[in-house]
Amino acid sequence: MEILGLLTDGVLVSLMPINIILILIGVTLGLFIGAMPGLGSVNGVAILLPITFLVPPGSAIIFLAAIYYGAMYGGAISSITLGIPGASTAVATTFDGRPLALSGRASLALVTAAIASFIGGTVSNVLFTIFAPLLATVALAFGPPEIFALMLLAFATFVGLGGDDIPKTILSICLGLVFAAVGFDEISGAPRLVFFDITGFLHGINFLVLAIGVYGIGEMIWTIESTRGEITTTEARMSLKGIITDSKEGMRRGWKGTAIGSFLGFFVGILPAAGATPGSLMSYGVAKLMAKNPKEFGKGHPGGVAAPEAANNSASTGAMLPMLTLGIPGSPTTAILLGGMVIWGLTPGPRLFTDQPEFVWGLIGSFYISNIFALIVNLAFIPLFIWMLRMPFTVLAPLIFVLSVVGGYAATQDMHDVWLMLGFGFGAFFLRKLDYPLAPAVLAIVLGPIAEPTLRQSLLLSSGDATIFFTRPIAGPITIIAIILILLPLFKLIAGKMRRAGTTQA
């Protein structure tokens, strides 16, 4: 009951006129910041940080958190309407959101994304409110072996993304891991895989550059090639009745993905250095594994939109937990927020809840209000996004190209990355022509920079003994589950051959 009273006080703080105005402005700005390829919540919060010195510290953090919330919603917009991920957190949304838009069902994809985001945000808010101190302790128990085991589990869930062609899937993952290793070695500091001694590779390959190249430029080239230059438009329509119908269908077909994303996203989000991107990719993989018809994923299944969208919104709240309770940012955006708190004289950590209860519970209360406002603003702008889709592709193609180039440059402000993005676009087109799955490569370049250092740190801790991944109480069960999932396709293949052999003999 004490928590309920504190939460009520926090909601009342967030409902103060200045805070309500800041929340509304924040989620609206965040929606468009998230939808702009290459911008994302990190850049949006960083750019707008100086403005917050005009308001009290508590209101400033509420405003920045609202931008963060809005950006999580907004990332799905360009992923669905243009096939360009607005941010790395929305890459998995492209897998099914874009096929739905191309088939004239963009309304279903956008409504499903909005509702799943709302549910994911609500679930994570409740979990945050009830279990904050306990979950902070659990997150602190995750060392390098546990984080590597979790990354291995993420790879395991994505083995099935390539359909039945496991060798192509594994090759795609290996390709992504190679790109993830480009640049300076985190542990030794030595440069590696600096192709042709081009200095641009020294800073590594930015994930967003690869994602925009693969899903922006690659998708544009694929569409141009498949339509043979004919003028095409997407038959997308929108009405109030349509929103209600799409809401029902989206939840009927996507409830399982929403549930998986809401809980898994929050759990991954609270882990330091993990963030919403791995959470959304893992949730997509798990949702596909647990679906009745996994082969529908990647072709336009609402569950493939619901799972990552619920996960990235849930993870965004989860990432706030270690920041507030331990002073450890759970994502790049919360690292900016942490810096802002320090500037305003607020010290994150266990004592923050006792020393600054009005600030903490006001911020938690604002999560609930921001979530509601973000849903309303998102649904209100859906007709605008649908209108964009009705433009001829001869208009959309140059728009996609310009946004991709701007997004690729904005990520690092380096022309090397623009050329690299174009190269990834053409490479993705040819891989798609050869029927290679692209999603596992994207997963690998996201998780590679997390998996490799934690693997090496774990082996350093154990003096090279790999049993550390099996003997630790948290890492052990996760590693075993991951190995079972990796070997599952092999077991299915053997069982299928045995059945066919039995049928032939009969």
Side-chain angles (χ1 to χ4, degrees):
M1 290 302 291
E2 182 186 357
I3 289 177
L4 195 60
L6 290 167
L7 179 62
T8 303
D9 292 340
V11 170
L12 291 173
V13 169
S14 64
L15 288 174
M16 291 170 60
I18 184 172
N19 291 337
I20 279 285
I21 293 168
L22 288 172
I23 287 172
L24 182 58
I25 294 171
V27 295
T28 307
L29 284 173
L31 187 71
F32 288 96
I33 287 168
M36 286 296 292
L39 203 52
S41 60
V42 183
N43 294 332
V45 170
I47 291 166
L48 294 170
L49 183 62
I51 297 174
T52 58
F53 291 104
L54 302 172
V55 295
S59 300
I61 288 286
I62 285 172
F63 173 65
L64 294 176
I67 294 171
Y68 190 16
Y69 250 100
M72 289 298 108
Y73 275 76
I77 293 164
S78 55
S79 291
I80 293 168
T81 56
L82 301 176
I84 313 171
S88 59
T89 55
V91 168
T93 309
T94 313
F95 302 159
D96 281 273
R98 185 58 178 161
L100 277 170
L102 290 173
S103 63
R105 307 218 65 193
S107 171
L108 173 62
L110 289 165
V111 170
T112 301
I115 293 174
S117 296
F118 174 75
I119 294 172
T122 303
V123 168
S124 63
N125 286 337
V126 173
L127 292 174
F128 188 106
T129 305
I130 299 172
F131 300 113
L134 175 65
L135 289 172
T137 308
V138 172
L140 205 59
F142 267 68
E146 286 74 23
I147 293 176
F148 175 75
L150 198 65
M151 296 303 103
L152 187 65
L153 181 63
F155 282 117
T157 60
F158 264 65
V159 166
L161 264 187
D164 296 325
D165 201 335
I166 303 301
K168 284 186 176 180
T169 303
I170 294 171
L171 185 63
S172 183
I173 287 175
C174 291
L175 193 63
L177 287 173
V178 169
F179 288 136
V182 173
F184 285 104
D185 183 351
E186 280 192 29
I187 294 177
S188 71
R192 359 174 250 191
L193 298 179
V194 180
F195 303 110
F196 309 109
D197 291 326
I198 298 171
T199 55
F201 285 112
L202 288 172
H203 65 61
I205 294 174
N206 187 284
F207 165 68
L208 207 54
V209 169
L210 177 131
I212 292 172
V214 169
Y215 293 105
I217 302 295
E219 179 71 28
M220 182 188 72
I221 297 170
W222 175 266
T223 306
I224 290 170
E225 196 271 343
S226 58
T227 57
R228 306 294 180 187
E230 294 175 13
I231 296 176
T232 59
T233 56
T234 304
E235 291 299 322
R237 294 288 181 268
M238 190 73 188
S239 65
L240 182 60
K241 184 180 178 182
I243 289 179
I244 297 169
T245 306
D246 290 336
S247 302
K248 290 177 181 176
E249 183 180 351
M251 284 301 95
R252 178 175 57 81
R253 299 179 63 193
W255 69 269
K256 192 180 289 184
T258 303
I260 291 166
S262 298
F263 289 96
L264 182 58
F266 182 75
F267 176 70
V268 175
I270 67 173
L271 301 177
T277 303
S280 62
L281 288 162
M282 286 178 69
S283 297
Y284 182 89
V286 173
K288 181 178 179 180
L289 280 174
M290 297 185 68
K292 287 184 179 178
N293 299 305
K295 290 185 178 179
E296 291 181 4
F297 276 65
K299 298 175 182 176
H301 193 289
V305 175
E309 282 305 300
N312 62 37
N313 278 265
S314 186
S316 65
T317 302
M320 295 276 193
L321 194 147
M323 181 195 76
L324 290 174
T325 57
L326 302 171
I328 302 170
S331 71
T333 310
T334 52
I336 304 290
L337 291 173
L338 180 65
M341 287 178 64
V342 172
I343 290 168
W344 290 307
L346 298 164
T347 306
R351 292 195 58 81
L352 187 65
F353 280 75
T354 52
D355 294 345
Q356 301 281 349
E358 185 178 346
F359 163 74
V360 171
W361 289 101
L363 179 61
I364 294 172
S366 79
F367 294 164
Y368 290 86
I369 305 302
S370 296
N371 201 27
I372 294 168
F373 274 39
L375 175 67
I376 295 168
V377 171
N378 200 349
L379 290 175
F381 279 103
I382 283 178
L384 173 65
F385 308 139
I386 295 293
W387 171 81
M388 286 171 54
L389 281 172
R390 291 203 290 270
M391 290 190 287
F393 193 74
T394 47
V395 176
L396 270 180
L399 179 64
I400 291 170
F401 182 77
V402 170
L403 285 174
S404 297
V405 170
V406 171
Y409 182 76
T412 57
Q413 296 187 8
D414 188 345
M415 276 304 296
H416 166 80
D417 285 334
V418 175
W419 296 114
L420 200 59
M421 178 201 64
L422 294 172
F424 282 133
F426 281 101
F429 168 73
F430 287 116
L431 284 174
R432 193 167 172 182
K433 290 286 283 185
L434 296 170
D435 203 26
Y436 276 84
L438 299 174
V442 174
L443 171 83
I445 202 169
V446 174
L447 301 187
I450 303 173
E452 186 204 354
T454 52
L455 170 64
R456 292 167 67 184
Q457 288 162 6
S458 302
L459 294 175
L460 286 170
L461 284 171
S462 65
S463 300
D465 186 1
T467 58
I468 189 173
F469 300 112
F470 298 92
T471 54
R472 288 170 69 110
I474 298 176
I478 297 174
T479 305
I480 291 168
I481 293 168
I483 291 171
I484 291 170
L485 288 174
I486 289 169
L487 296 175
L488 199 59
L490 181 62
F491 295 147
K492 286 181 179 179
L493 184 65
I494 294 169
K497 285 187 176 180
M498 289 175 67
R499 279 197 301 270
R500 284 195 294 273
T503 306
T504 304
Q505 289 174 2

